[in-house]
Amino acid sequence: GDLDKVVNLLLSLSGRLARVENVLSSLGDSASSEERSSLNEKRKLLAGQHEDARELKENLDRRERVVLEILGNYLSEEQLQDYQHFVKMKSALLIEQRELDDKIKLGQEQLKCLMESL
């Protein structure tokens, strides 16, 4: 459960940080200094939160290693490998699910814009 939450938090913060950085880089000379300052503050806040989330992930990885060591005393080598594979695949599938959700959302937004332009 913690793995789901931390991976989703990291993905969410990464996406939000990327969007703010894209807006910042696309700001023209006509952008007000107040707007630029506000976006820079938001970027700093998101970067700090992202770093905190990475620390949470590192702590979770340490806990996983401890659990793996304990399970090593009770499971066969094959069962232990199955467990490790499950944990790795769970993270990979969460990331893939998030990417697919983002693509679906983008497609829906594009479809909406196309329908409005007709």
Side-chain angles (χ1 to χ4, degrees):
D2 289 346
L3 181 63
D4 291 358
K5 292 173 188 171
V6 171
V7 168
N8 281 323
L9 178 62
L10 277 168
L11 291 172
S12 176
L13 289 170
S14 295
R16 291 173 58 198
L17 186 57
R19 284 190 293 277
V20 168
E21 288 176 347
N22 286 340
V23 170
L24 268 170
S25 66
S26 68
L27 282 180
D29 294 333
S30 62
S32 69
S33 62
E34 183 178 300
E35 182 180 9
R36 192 175 302 275
S37 175
S38 172
L39 286 169
N40 276 321
E41 279 300 313
K42 190 171 189 174
R43 184 184 58 77
K44 287 178 189 175
L45 178 65
L46 287 170
Q49 290 174 339
H50 189 266
E51 184 59 34
D52 291 345
R54 284 185 23 202
E55 288 177 20
L56 284 173
K57 177 69 170 95
E58 289 171 9
N59 288 335
L60 188 61
D61 290 343
R62 280 192 290 279
R63 282 183 21 211
E64 180 186 335
R65 286 190 294 272
V66 169
V67 168
L68 191 61
E69 191 175 313
I70 293 168
L71 288 176
N73 296 325
Y74 298 99
L75 300 177
S76 69
E77 185 63 33
E78 184 180 336
Q79 290 172 321
L80 198 58
Q81 287 176 355
D82 286 345
Y83 170 78
Q84 287 177 301
H85 178 73
F86 169 77
V87 172
K88 286 179 184 176
M89 287 306 297
K90 187 171 183 177
S91 292
L93 289 172
L94 284 170
I95 292 168
E96 188 174 335
Q97 178 185 8
R98 183 64 174 251
E99 289 173 354
L100 290 173
D101 288 345
D102 289 346
K103 286 179 182 179
I104 290 169
K105 185 178 176 183
L106 177 62
Q108 289 172 337
E109 290 172 2
Q110 290 173 338
L111 183 60
K112 180 182 174 189
C113 289
L114 284 173
M115 296 298 275
E116 289 174 358
S117 68
L118 296 176

